[in-house]
Amino acid sequence: MTSPIDRLRPTASAHHSAQDLATTFELTVGTGRTAPDAGPGALAGVEIWSVASDNRVVADGDLFVALPGASAHGATFASGAIDRGARAVLTDPRGALLLDEAGERRVPVLVTDDPRNLLGPVAAWVYGAPAEHLTTFAVTGTNGKTTTTYLIDHVLRALGWKGGLIGTVEMRSGDRVLPSRLTTPEAADLQALLATMREDGVGTLAMEVSSHALSLHRVDGIVFDVAGFTNLSQDHLDFHGDLQEYFDAKAALFTPEHARRGVVVVDDAWGRRMTEAATIPVATLSVAGERTDADWTVTDVVADGAAGSAFTLRHRDGREIRTTTALPGGFNVANAALALAMVLEAGADVRDVRAALEAAGGVSAAVPGRMEVVGTSPRVVVDFAHNTDALSLALAALRPTTEGRLVVVFGATGDRDKGKRPRMGAVAVEGADVVVVTDDDPHGEDPASIRAEVLAGALAARDVADGAHAPGVPARTVTEVAPRAAAIRDTIREAGPQDTVLIAGRGHEVWQEIAGVDHALDDRVEARAALAERDETTKEHGA
Ligand SMILES: CC(=O)N[C@H]1[C@@H](OP(=O)(O)OP(=O)(O)OC[C@H]2O[C@@H](n3ccc(=O)[nH]c3=O)[C@H](O)[C@@H]2O)O[C@H](CO)[C@@H](O)[C@@H]1O[C@H](C)C(=O)N[C@@H](C)C(=O)N[C@H](CCC(=O)O)C(=O)O
Ligand SMILES: Nc1ncnc2c1ncn2[C@@H]1O[C@H](COP(=O)(O)OP(=O)(O)OP(=O)(O)O)[C@@H](O)[C@H]1O
């Protein structure tokens, strides 16, 4: 989804001299070619109040950091930034040359070899290291970041903290809710947001840290108090190249530059490798019961279907909490246990946490678009599962409480990791009785060819499954319906009252991007409309 770029600025901004900035970060003033205007005197009297790396949001008093990008060099936007009030530009030697060639000499140009590396620390410096005024929690991993972040925030609020939250769905500063554009904001925006949280009297921060953010240095300049790792499976290989590179990006969070300590779920091989790669103290967490030597273990899980689960989290030192989560599925026990272990690793007293959870009714939070139930007859669940692992687990979580058929409606995103498409088709067939392949966000790709790739995987898996079919058991049905709104409506109309319909892949999202144009589309709205139509039809037939 593309949404307008917005800008948040702390109200009280300190004024810093550009000269101090240059000295602190050992920046060169100008290049050889810009030298006539670029001596040390060029910085005299220049003050900086805030930082921006996108010219469209520059405001008076900004330092504009012009980054080299994949599609453009930020320096090509510097004149626009200066028109809007930028007081100085920080860029790389190539950016300085671009400014020079454009004859842009209105403000001093500060130069460093890799401005992306410096953007976070510079913004932290300008805003007075806001993260150091908060107790900070960072969650990374392929699946479960959003959910775990909400659960951490929930536990912290139950403990009486005014919390801040940053992630895919939204950002929160106490009770103030702000829209999200990225899972992890760009460094300059992130530091401004943290400074705003500090002004709002927020004491804790739970945030998602994506692998893109780690690779693109968005969280440089922040040392989180506790970092958490959920799991790793195939995703984002359009950006990272291969799984090892994707893992390495996430492993950067478990180094002293980014975190003081960590909690790592070790139930998959990547989690175990993360404990070896980490160069900070790391506590291990095993939820699946296979690793009894883990620091934190989860035992005595009692799953109550759609009503969630009860579980016990225990540390080797004897600390123990028995609690519940209302979020369904074994993976949500993992998310809840990770959230709790992270809060306890930050130093919370186990008795306080126990008391807070009893008062709050367990470790739960309404996470928009994550296993969100929007109807009961048929049961309709909207979930953000948009990769192989998540889709397979979401179906497995719904199967035990499905009395009729389990139906899934989903597609795959365009311009992103293409390798996962046939595999998503295959796990859909393995987990559901009826598979409806439709569109997700096609972005710039042809929706029909994306569907064809998903369908190829689904049909191949169906042929295998039908070959091994027990007599009398209906074969799996695989169909293709587009557009997505029609797929949702048709599927709900045709479902039986005992069926469960999982609408997977877009969760909370309210825009669908097709060929660069955003179209309003909210799976929950479409599903509710289809359920209402169904109710009307039933009434008419009954009348
Ligand atoms: C693949 C990726 O992450 N690309 C990011 C990267 O883009 P880029 O290197 O191509 O930059 P560019 O567009 O060439 O622009 C270069 C510079 O010019 C600036 N610019 C650009 C255009 C303009 O009009 N004015 C302007 O000033 C840009 O702000 C940038 O500083 O740097 C840009 C800013 O520095 C980011 O905005 C951009 O994220 C894009 C928007 C994006 O969609 N990223 C997604 C994939 C992402 O980060 N996703 C993860 C979550 C993934 C998940 O778990 O699902 C996230 O954390 O959100
Ligand atoms: N611990 C987990 N293990 C596996 N799958 C999970 C886990 N937690 C959630 N999921 C599945 O993944 C989907 C996305 O969950 P969530 O939004 O919490 O993850 P995320 O890491 O934030 O994803 P993204 O980075 O794509 O926003 C859920 O809707 C659910 O289907």
Side-chain angles (χ1 to χ4, degrees), residues 1 5 53-56 64-78 116 119 141-142 145 168 181-186 208-213 216 218 235-236 238-239 246 250 384 386 416:
M1 196 271 278
I5 296 177
S53 60
D54 192 302
N55 78 303
R56 290 165 287 194
F64 177 61
V65 182
L67 302 174
S71 46
H73 196 297
T76 54
F77 306 105
R116 209 181 262 280
L119 177 57
T142 304
K145 294 184 297 298
T168 313
R181 194 174 65 90
L182 294 168
T183 296
T184 310
E186 293 300 338
E208 295 182 50
V209 177
S210 65
S211 53
H212 291 75
L216 295 169
R218 293 181 193 156
D235 211 348
H236 305 309
D238 53 319
F239 181 75
Y246 178 36
K250 295 212 175 279
F384 197 45
H386 55 274
R416 302 277 188 278

Side-chain angles (χ1 to χ4, degrees), residues 376-399:
T376 49
S377 178
R379 178 167 60 155
V380 178
V381 180
V382 170
D383 186 68
F384 197 45
H386 55 274
N387 55 43
T388 313
D389 240 33
L391 188 58
S392 165
L393 286 168
L395 288 167
L398 294 171
R399 175 63 83 185

